[in-house]
DNA sequence: CTAGGGTTAG
């Protein structure tokens, strides 16, 4: 910008003459004005000033205009002073120029003073004053000036109209704008002046693109600007297709585009997401020769939106002199693509090339910090840099800092930044509220919400969604209802995610009908809404309703499920052990999505389903044909082998995985360590634990230490297990103590068990399972008084042990059994079969182990009690109904009873059938009198509970629900049949089970 | 004295 001055001065014929005559100076100023060289105008004026020459009425406005544009406040004021005593000060052109200068520099009062002193005013001076008010955001003042002007019988011209339309647009005054529209029609200002035409379109675009397009269509003559206005209007309304269509029409009608047309069209292409179209527009840019920095910048961003990093980078490198914005854009591409190293490299390169990092750069790289191991240090140094360049309080920087600190769990730092920020808006508040909500700081997030209302910042849909997520449980319902009311009252637009949050809120708080109403009445339900609804029902242990909804969604509403839907539904079949339905869903998915094999998360879910539904072979088959695997696939297989007691295969899979170049992660070691536990491979497990630390550099977490405790405890190394608990770097949790207690039970160490139990109860006083666990140990040691007192404690605390349930799936139908249950239609046959089984196995040497009856009764009663456990009923039913040769697969919600375990071994030998029982912790494969768990079954495995739970809590589902549906039976996931078994009567029998587990 | 854009949360 500085260069043209000397060049133009040299070229100008008058410069050489060095004359002091005014007309020569005026001539120079006029010349620079033509070249739009404001700086040169000011330099010229400075030279005149030093010679004591003042410009005349013709050139003085030109100098003032230059001062205004360059924000040369002092220079302009000085000029004003120097003419104040001359007759120039009363010239209408000069006064108008002063008004204009002061308002451009934001000094509205000075402008008004000049305006007030004017003795004579024309339209141009009124316009200057009105435009000055617009410049200084004083829109109401502008409107008042207009009415004053009309009182003076001055007719508005096109410039007045343009300014007034601007005012009405800013104030969102549709009515007033329409009046201005009418005024221009009456006075012949519309369709005669292109500025008015475009302004009118721009005005209507703030409200309704349809009205704007009607005006656009009536235009007698259009120019590039009116086309641009219309195109960018569509873009602002998110209608990228209409914008692009209009652009094509513009070309077809032979209008010339300019660089702004290309700029907005590139934006439309980027948002529209059509890679091919974007490339064509890029070709046009080259053809038309618009290669300014803004355009290149937009193109780089466009390719980034297409995830075409290669094109972004090629374009970026092809520009020899890049400005900071271009570097920022490229940097942003890398950061958004998650290329951390490349981003840092580019940042360094940028600085090496002497480009000064600006505030935008900071905003771009701050999110990286959350993913760096030394992220906080980097984040803080960026924060310090922002402080140094005086941008700490900047809105965008503040937002990013708040976000960064939150992701790094530094809520305090985030709060400090937020409190210091100036000009916060709804976005700033949303960032901060969601930060607080993520940390469940409900009081603080409400405070910010209140602060927003005080500052008159209108909350939007996202604000409400975030604030709802801060609440849990019963608080949520109370608060949720009032916030729902607030949303309705204030007319906050409900988007899909807010609707989902409201629906979930009501369902989670057991106001299901309201939740469904909110869901049903929302017109813009999309697949995501449906998927979240399904997952809410799953989380609330409502498998039956979930499946009904799924059915309704697919067949009635005709919403096509996607992978997420399938994974959700699949998880139900996985939990329910419904292998036939799982298989059916697999077949359905293969038909529906032919590329199933390429969506790894989905295939991994199927692998897990097969292994947890007892079909390790299917899981293996699926895994073996995968064209590509990821870490999760391997982890699923290792977990599968472990769960089925095949520790050797789990270890082999682990080695294969490492050999193929995968780096095991924390989950891999959880699965692998647990596999060792299940198969009693203590040495191998210990080795694995050390290898995890030394070879793979993974710092063991609590869950890994828990694995270690479990491994040692079940191997009888109770002191070593206790030692691990005492020396591990973090506090043990309930699972740690449970693992130790289970070891104590196997090796009958009641003393250590008591210590462990005291710790456990302190951590989880309300979990009935914990009391049952200790009761088991006392019972096994014959300490009946202690058992009794424990039961009293349970009763006093109002805790109830979950009832044991076993179920078996036959032809996709679930058949449930509780102990002593006689509600099944085939009940008589089942008991007859069971009696004969018992007779046969007793002959083979089976002796009922009455220690597993945790009631202090006589042996005869104990015998009756133990002979009708739910597992035994399910086995008898399975032998009757599963065709010979096929294996029998039974699932139990709790851990298998020890006596039933023995019984199953005998039955497998007697019937020559494979019996598989999945309990809360693992699989037991009974073949020819032996179990795959090698009798390591007694152990309670905490993390499997985590994996299986939320294992659908059958007790809750089938005894509380309004329709006591005993089974869920679908022959087809898309067609739900009615259940055949009523389990309502089994509630009574469950009450008498006692503390079996 | 006047119309269209420009790079900003996750």
């Amino acid at each position: 910008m500085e260069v043209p001055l000397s060049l133009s001065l040299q070229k100008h014929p008058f410069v050489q003459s060095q004359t002091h005559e005014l007309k020569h100076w005026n001539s120079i100023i006029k010349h620079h004005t033509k070249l739009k060289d404001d700086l040169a105008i000011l330099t010229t004026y400075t030279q005149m000033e030093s010679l004591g020459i003042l410009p005349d009425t013709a050139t003085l406005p030109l100098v003032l205009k230059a001062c205004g544009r360059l924000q040369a406040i002092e220079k302009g004021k000085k000029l004003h002073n120097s003419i104040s005593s001359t007759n120039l000060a009363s010239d209408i052109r000069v006064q108008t120029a002063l008004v204009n200068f002061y308002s451009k520099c934001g000094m509205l009062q000075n402008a008004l003073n000049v305006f007030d002193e004017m003795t004579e005013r024309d339209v141009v001076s009124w316009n200057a004053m009105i435009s000055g008010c617009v410049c200084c955001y004083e829109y109401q003042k502008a409107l008042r000036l207009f009415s004053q002007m009309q009182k003076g019988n001055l007719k508005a011209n096109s410039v007045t109209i343009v300014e007034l339309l601007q005012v009405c647009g800013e104030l969102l005054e549709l009515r007033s704008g329409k009046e201005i529209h009418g005024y221009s029609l009456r006075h012949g200002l519309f369709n005669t002046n292109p500025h008015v035409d475009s302004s009118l379109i721009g005005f209507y675009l703030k409200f309704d693109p349809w009205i704007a397009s009607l005006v656009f269509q009536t235009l007698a003559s259009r120019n590039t600007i009116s086309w641009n206005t219309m195109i960018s209007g569509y873009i602002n309304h998110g209608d990228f297709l209409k914008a692009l269509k209009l652009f094509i029409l513009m070309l077809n009608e032979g209008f010339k585009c300019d660089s702004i047309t290309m700029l907005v069209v590139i934006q439309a292409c980027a948002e529209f997401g059509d890679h091919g179209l974007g490339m064509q527009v890029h070709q046009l840019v080259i053809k038309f020769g618009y290669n300014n920095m803004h355009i290149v910048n937009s193109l780089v961003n466009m390719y980034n939106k297409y995830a075409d990093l290669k094109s972004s980078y090629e374009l970026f490198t092809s520009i020899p002199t890049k400005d900071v914005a271009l570097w920022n854009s490229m940097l942003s591409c890398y950061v958004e693509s998650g290329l951390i190293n490349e981003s840092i490299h580019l940042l360094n390169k940028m600085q090496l090339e002497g480009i000064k990092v600006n505030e935008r750069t900071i905003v771009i790289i701050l999110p990286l910090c959350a993913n760096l191991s030394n992220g906080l240090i980097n984040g803080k140094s960026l924060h310090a840099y922002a402080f140094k360049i005086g941008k700490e309080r900047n809105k965008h920087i503040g937002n990013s800092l708040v976000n960064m600190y939150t992701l790094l769990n530094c809520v305090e730092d985030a709060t400090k930044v937020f409190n210091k920020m100036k000009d916060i808006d709804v976005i700033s508040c949303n960032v901060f509220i969601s930060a607080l909500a993520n940390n469940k700081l409900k009081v603080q997030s409400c405070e910010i919400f209140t602060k927003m209302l005080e500052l008159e910042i209108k909350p939007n849909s996202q604000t409400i969604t975030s604030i709802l997520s801060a609440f849990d449980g019963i608080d949520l319902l109370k608060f949720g209802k009032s916030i729902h009311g607030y949303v309705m009252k204030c007319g906050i637009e409900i988007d899909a995610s807010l609707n989902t949050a409201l629906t979930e809120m009501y369902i989670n708080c057991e106001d299901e009908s309201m939740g469904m109403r909110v869901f049903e009445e929302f017109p813009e339900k999309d697949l995501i809404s449906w998927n979240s609804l399904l997952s809410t029902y799953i989380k609330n242990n409502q498998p039956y309703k979930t499946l009904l909804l799924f059915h309704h969604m697919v067949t009635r509403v005709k919403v096509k499920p996607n992978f997420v839907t399938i994974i959700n539904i699949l998880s139900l079949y996985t939990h329910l052990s419904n292998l036939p339905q799982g298989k059916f869903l697999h077949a359905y998915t293969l038909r529906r999505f032919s590329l199933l094999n390429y969506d790894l998360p989905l295939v991994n879910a199927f692998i897990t389903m097969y292994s947890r539904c007892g079909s390790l072979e299917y899981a293996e088959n699926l895994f073996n044909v995968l064209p590509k695997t990821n870490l999760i696939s391997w982890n699923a297989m290792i977990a599968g082998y472990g769960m089925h007691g095949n520790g050797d295969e789990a270890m082999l899979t682990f080695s294969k995985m490492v050999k193929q170049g995968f780096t095991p992660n924390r989950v891999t070691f959880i699965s692998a360590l647990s596999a060792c536990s299940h198969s009693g491979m203590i040495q191998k497990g210990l080795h694995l634990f050390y290898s995890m630390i030394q070879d793979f550099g993974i710092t063991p977490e609590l869950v890994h230490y828990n694995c270690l405790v479990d491994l040692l405890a079940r191997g009888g190394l109770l002191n070593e297990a206790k030692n691990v608990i005492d020396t591990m770097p973090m506090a043990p949790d309930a699972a740690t103590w449970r693992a130790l207690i289970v070891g104590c039970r196997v090796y009958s160490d009641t003393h250590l068990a008591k210590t462990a139990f005291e710790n456990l109860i302190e951590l989880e006083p309300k979990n009935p399972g914990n009391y049952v666990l200790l009761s088991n140990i006392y019972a096994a040691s014959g300490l009946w008084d202690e058992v009794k007192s424990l039961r009293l404690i349970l009763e006093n605390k109002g805790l109830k042990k979950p009832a044991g349930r076993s179920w078996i799936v036959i032809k996709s139908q679930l058949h449930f059994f509780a102990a002593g249950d006689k509600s099944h239609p085939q009940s008589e046959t089942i008991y007859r079969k069971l009696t004969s089984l018992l007779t046969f196995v007793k002959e083979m040497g089976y002796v009922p182990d009455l220690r597993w009856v945790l009631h202090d009764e006589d042996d005869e009663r104990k015998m009756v009690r133990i002979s009708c456990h739910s597992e035994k009923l399910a086995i008898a039913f399975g032998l009757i109904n599963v065709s010979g040769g096929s294996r029998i697969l039974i699932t139990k919600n709790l851990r298998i009873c020890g006596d039933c375990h023995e019984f199953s071994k005998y039955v497998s030998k007697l019937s020559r059938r494979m019996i598989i029982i999945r309990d809360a912790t693992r699989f037991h494969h009974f073949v020819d009198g032996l179990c795959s768990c090698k009798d390591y079954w007694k152990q309670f495995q905490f993390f499997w509970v985590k994996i299986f739970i939320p294992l659908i809590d059958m007790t809750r589902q089938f005894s509380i629900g309004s329709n006591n549906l005993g089974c869920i039976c679908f022959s087809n996931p898309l067609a739900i049949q009615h259940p055949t078994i009523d389990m309502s009567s089994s509630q009574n029998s469950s009450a008498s089970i006692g503390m079996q587990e």
Side-chain angles (χ1 to χ4, degrees), chain A residues 716-734:
Chain A
L717 303 165
L718 293 176
N719 291 330
E720 285 79 355
K722 180 69 172 46
N723 196 31
V724 168
I725 298 179
D726 292 338
T727 56
M728 63 194 206
M730 64 286 277
D733 68 357

Side-chain angles (χ1 to χ4, degrees), chain A residues 448-501:
Chain A
I448 301 305
F449 185 68
T450 319
K451 190 175 173 182
M452 276 177 90
L453 301 183
E454 279 166 15
L455 293 171
E456 291 182 355
I457 300 172
K458 199 186 172 205
N460 62 17
S461 182
Q462 282 174 54
T463 322
I464 309 292
T465 309
S466 303
I467 213 153
L468 277 175
S469 73
F471 283 79
D472 268 332
I474 208 74
D475 286 341
L476 177 59
L477 184 62
K478 207 172 145 198
F479 180 75
K481 273 183 182 169
S482 63
I483 205 126
H484 191 189
Y486 174 84
V487 167
M488 304 308 281
K489 198 181 91 189
C490 298
I492 292 174
E493 201 186 335
I494 299 181
D495 65 8
S497 59
L498 176 54
N499 196 260
T500 301

